[in-house]
Amino acid sequence: MKIFLDYMRSFFAKIIAYCSFVVLGLISLLPFCVLYLISDGLYFIVYIVFAYRRKIVHENLTTSFPDKSKIEIKEIEQDFYHWFCDYIVETIKLISINRKEIKRRMVFKGTDIIDKFVNEGKSCGVMLGHYCNWEWITTLPLSIKAHGICAELYHPIENSDFNRLFLYIRQRFGSICIPMQETLRHLVRYQQENRPMIIGYIADQKPNWRNIYFWTTFLNHDTPVFTGSERIIKQCHQAFFYGDVRRIRRGYYECDFKLIEPYPENTPDFKLTEFYMKELEAAIKREPAFWLWTHDRWSRTKEEFDIRFYTKDGKIFEKVTEAEYAKMKGWKNYWHH
């Protein structure tokens, strides 16, 4: 009976997934002017009706910009949700948009330097944030003249059917998606085959407790930073770039590749990461509404880390469990992580 129920559950999940693909595909055929009308309707549903993560967004904005007034914070909050809904329909549009249209709307600068490195057989690592429409960055192969492999790291979606949809969207214009847990295996293979890469690292996510090796001040917070990208860039001898993305106007973006360090192998630990975080912070301060404020980015604090963990021989060990820490803090449970 359990096997039958599991089969039926899987069957109906596939039906729902494929119906969703058809609907999203049909929506993607709509012109941008209609898609942005849909986005305006989504704004009302997401921001007004369901108040999706509004508490987290408001807290993140308030603590990141303590000098801004309540009116300014409210304006940024509303602008963020307008952009967030635009991001959704723009990502759906990737299902069917043609090459000429996306090249007109997603412009890359500094690709001549990347082409030079790739033609010389050297790979390039580009660090970016969840800023502006990062999904459109996957169209980079359309703007690269050199014969390099454009790739990005990603976390596979648990639902395999929806994972296939996102892979189709992200790989439609020639980019390759590499599962995070298989990164080094793929990069080593391409190196051995003498196939230079241009690989994007979105590195502003919250690291797991046992992967916290570096803290920096970011948007008025003591922030743990994901350092795996820097480690891979140095180990694989990739020229280090920062991707400075701007929203020119609704439906138009620009990404400027800034060469930071052509030979980063011998740079001090975390220097590249710290530079990246400073550049990203400057971009967010320039146009705050276009960063992904819905994530609970600062739930892991330095105070808790120092109490619960210690570092020995380059590895992180736990000394106080979640339950013990919750008891120390007087919490009923450890719900907030």
Side-chain angles (χ1 to χ4, degrees):
M1 186 64 178
K2 184 179 184 299
I3 295 175
F4 174 75
L5 290 175
D6 288 343
Y7 171 79
M8 292 304 295
R9 195 176 294 114
S10 175
F11 174 77
F12 283 114
K14 285 185 179 294
I15 294 295
I16 292 170
Y18 287 122
C19 288
S20 299
F21 299 166
V22 172
V23 172
L24 292 175
L26 291 173
I27 292 173
S28 76
L29 295 172
L30 296 171
F32 272 100
C33 59
V34 178
L35 287 174
Y36 286 130
L37 287 175
I38 294 174
S39 175
D40 292 339
L42 272 178
Y43 168 80
F44 178 78
I45 295 170
V46 172
Y47 182 66
I48 305 297
V49 177
F50 290 103
Y52 173 69
R53 296 200 171 188
R54 269 177 66 173
K55 184 178 179 181
I56 291 175
V57 171
H58 185 78
E59 182 178 350
N60 283 343
L61 287 170
T62 302
T63 53
S64 295
F65 302 108
D67 295 333
K68 291 189 181 296
S69 67
K70 291 183 179 180
I71 294 175
E72 289 175 308
I73 293 295
K74 190 71 172 179
E75 287 177 353
I76 296 172
E77 182 181 303
Q78 292 173 341
D79 288 344
F80 162 73
Y81 278 97
H82 275 296
W83 164 79
F84 181 68
C85 294
D86 282 357
Y87 159 79
I88 293 172
V89 299
E90 289 169 358
T91 301
I92 293 172
K93 186 65 178 176
L94 281 176
I95 296 173
S96 63
I97 193 170
N98 63 57
R99 294 185 171 213
K100 183 178 179 181
E101 179 75 357
I102 193 62
K103 280 190 71 175
R104 187 169 66 86
R105 290 174 173 271
M106 181 69 244
V107 176
F108 294 94
K109 294 185 174 183
T111 54
D112 54 328
I113 306 174
I114 288 180
D115 285 333
K116 178 179 178 294
F117 279 120
V118 172
N119 284 329
E120 293 171 354
K122 187 174 182 63
S123 292
C124 302
V126 183
M127 292 181 73
L128 310 109
H130 288 92
Y131 188 74
C132 292
N133 196 323
W134 57 92
E135 298 293 350
W136 281 20
I137 303 296
T138 60
T139 65
L140 176 61
L142 301 179
S143 299
I144 293 292
K145 295 179 181 178
H147 296 291
I149 298 170
C150 293
E152 63 179 274
L153 306 185
Y154 85 108
H155 289 286
I157 299 172
E158 190 172 338
N159 184 299
S160 60
D161 297 305
F162 279 101
N163 190 58
R164 279 199 295 273
L165 173 63
F166 272 89
L167 285 177
Y168 170 77
I169 291 173
R170 291 170 175 171
Q171 297 182 146
R172 184 167 170 248
F173 294 103
S175 184
I176 296 173
C177 289
I178 300 175
M180 191 74 75
Q181 65 272 23
E182 300 176 15
T183 302
L184 282 178
R185 180 168 65 85
H186 282 270
L187 298 190
V188 168
R189 177 167 63 86
Y190 287 129
Q191 267 190 325
Q192 291 173 343
E193 295 173 355
N194 294 317
R195 301 170 70 186
M197 304 183 70
I198 306 103
I199 185 164
Y201 304 89
I202 294 184
D204 57 346
Q205 58 266 66
K206 179 173 59 178
N208 294 325
W209 283 115
R210 293 180 185 274
N211 288 325
I212 297 176
Y213 295 96
F214 178 64
W215 297 77
T216 191
T217 301
F218 175 68
L219 293 174
N220 198 47
H221 295 84
D222 206 2
T223 306
V225 184
F226 182 74
T227 57
S229 302
E230 174 179 328
R231 188 166 58 252
I232 294 170
I233 287 171
K234 292 168 74 171
Q235 287 178 355
C236 296
H237 307 285
Q238 299 171 358
F240 171 55
F241 288 79
Y242 171 71
D244 187 17
V245 187
R246 296 171 184 258
R247 192 194 203 202
I248 307 306
R249 63 181 190 275
R250 202 175 197 184
Y252 291 84
Y253 298 91
E254 181 180 285
C255 178
D256 186 8
F257 294 117
K258 297 181 177 180
L259 176 62
I260 308 304
E261 179 55 65
Y263 302 99
E265 302 88 73
N266 297 319
T267 57
D269 286 345
F270 314 130
K271 182 179 179 181
L272 303 183
T273 301
E274 185 166 27
F275 184 91
Y276 157 72
M277 294 300 287
K278 295 301 181 188
E279 287 288 313
L280 179 60
E281 182 181 56
I284 294 169
K285 287 181 176 179
R286 183 178 66 219
E287 293 285 352
F290 304 142
W291 194 51
L292 193 61
W293 294 101
T294 50
H295 283 189
D296 195 4
R297 182 64 179 84
W298 292 287
S299 62
R300 290 176 186 155
T301 66
K302 187 71 163 60
E303 176 193 7
E304 181 175 351
F305 181 84
D306 289 341
I307 292 173
R308 291 189 52 214
F309 299 92
Y310 68 96
T311 303
K312 183 179 180 181
D313 300 327
K315 296 182 179 180
I316 295 172
F317 299 90
E318 187 178 52
K319 57 185 177 182
V320 175
T321 66
E322 291 179 352
E324 291 169 338
Y325 185 74
K327 187 175 181 181
M328 289 169 57
K329 301 295 287 186
W331 300 338
K332 290 183 179 180
N333 53 54
Y334 192 80
W335 62 269
H336 73 296
H337 291 286

